[in-house]
Amino acid sequence: MSWSRTVRLPLSGGLPGHPNGLSYLFGREVRTAVAVVGLAGLAWLLAELPLLWSAAAVAAGGGILLVLRFPQLIWPGLAVALPFASALKRGPLSLADLMLGAAVLLWFAEGVRKDRLRLNSGVLPILFTVYLLALLLSFPNAIDLQEATESVIKWLQMLVIVLLIQEVLSLRQVRWLVWGLLAGGVLQAMLGIYQFVFRIGPPNFLLLDRFMRAAGTFGQPNPFAGYLGLTLPVAVSLFLLTCTSILRRPEGSLLQLLTGTVAYGGAAAIIGAGLLASWSRGGWLGAAAGVGVVLYYQGGPIVKGAALAGAGAVMLFGPLTYRYIPRSLTDRIADLPTYFGSGMWEVVQQQVTDSNFSIIERLAHWIAALRMWEMSPWLGVGPGNYAAVYPQVRLARWEDPLGHAHNTYLNVLAENGLIGICAFLVLWTGVVIWLLCMRRQILRREWETVDRERDLLPSSAAPLHAPTWNAALLIGVLGVVVHLSVHHLFDNLFVQGIYLHVALWLGAAAALFRVGRPGNAAAL
């Protein structure tokens, strides 16, 4: 599972008379000229624009200069801004797409400056490439070529992010990226909590006549809950690491551990509150599964014992305490078995009411996806073409295609056929196996390093402990993938930049393994 291959593209000798080749284009003279032009433009903006716009221009200019000087900062910047930048669109392009394009250009410019472009392949890029090939196989069946192209580009963007992050980021910069992803989740959760408390949103999101379902910048509660649920497991995993390490670490690192415990714990609490405010059942189930996996691998005996005791108490005393749980919450989860019950086909024929609307709507789109798959069992109707083909297979009372089948597995089956769904399942099963294998290798490598250091210390020295932040991050990312897999039973989370969010987590995991390999110690 650790196989990788490096491709280097030498770029020297590109310009006559300049031994450094294309790197001359990014030399001191060019950078000076760009700086002069930029300062002149900034001066004009300050003179002509209102104060607020001038401040925004100064901030944007400062950010551009900063990432030009330190190109790796574009990745944590993208992580923080992603949920907000994805909501700012002009046609098919969003600000997040432009930021990703800028990150690619910065990587290329840095490679040209150093006369070398390098990419490391590996398990993750191969898995993504296999699924991309499956999408291309079903592409000729698409009747809406624009939607098909955009769908393929999404997965191509994910592949590019994984390839570049594992190449350009050092271990310290991976931590910046993780903090950026957590910060973006905290900001989005705080916005959702504000919407929930102050009833900011459309009337149909009104909840209990007192609150409003949180949607953040996503416009809908379900993708908002999905985004937060794809951040929460990492915050919980790192919180458990710092919290349990307080009992094991030497006193010299106690302040650092306390700071980490408060920071990660606070992030997990805020993100969890935002997730609850979304009132999304799919988000709750996905979060329960993702955090449950984190507790299993990262919790330790005490946390695992407490979790098992809590689960046992719920099973034993749950019926007695049922009446003390708010009815709005119990009603929200009581009808979940309907989605998978044997009578779901009959449920669709029931009269639609406010209480069963969401269930019947989803089941109607599941049936439409199955009908769509019957039209082309092997290759599907084409990537991204669910909405385009929906009028041919829809049920009588459900005219709005909603853009997807509200079940990613059925959506993939309908759009890409049996070949596509098999490639999709292979992709995410391979990701899970890869994460577990990488965790095992990183733990073994870290303990070997500690054993070598211990042999050099006198017997009276303080005991050493293996650094486990890397392993905790990998378990957090595993929780992210588990949440994604469970939530995809009820929704499609590959919308509005969330797929980039997932790719950033996977890229961070891939970079951890690359920079820690023997021969890459300089990158640390």
Side-chain angles (χ1 to χ4, degrees), residues 56 98 109 147 197 277 280 356 376 389-390 443 471 475 480:
L98 297 179
E147 290 294 334
V197 174
S280 169
N356 66 11
S376 181
V389 182
Y390 181 78
L443 283 175
I475 291 303
V480 168

Side-chain angles (χ1 to χ4, degrees), residues 24 83 163 242 249 315 339 342 367 395 424 452 479 488 509:
Y24 172 77
L163 283 171
T242 56
R249 299 277 177 156
M315 294 178 63
Y339 284 104
S342 58
I367 295 173
L395 274 67
F424 186 82
R452 288 195 299 268
H488 270 170

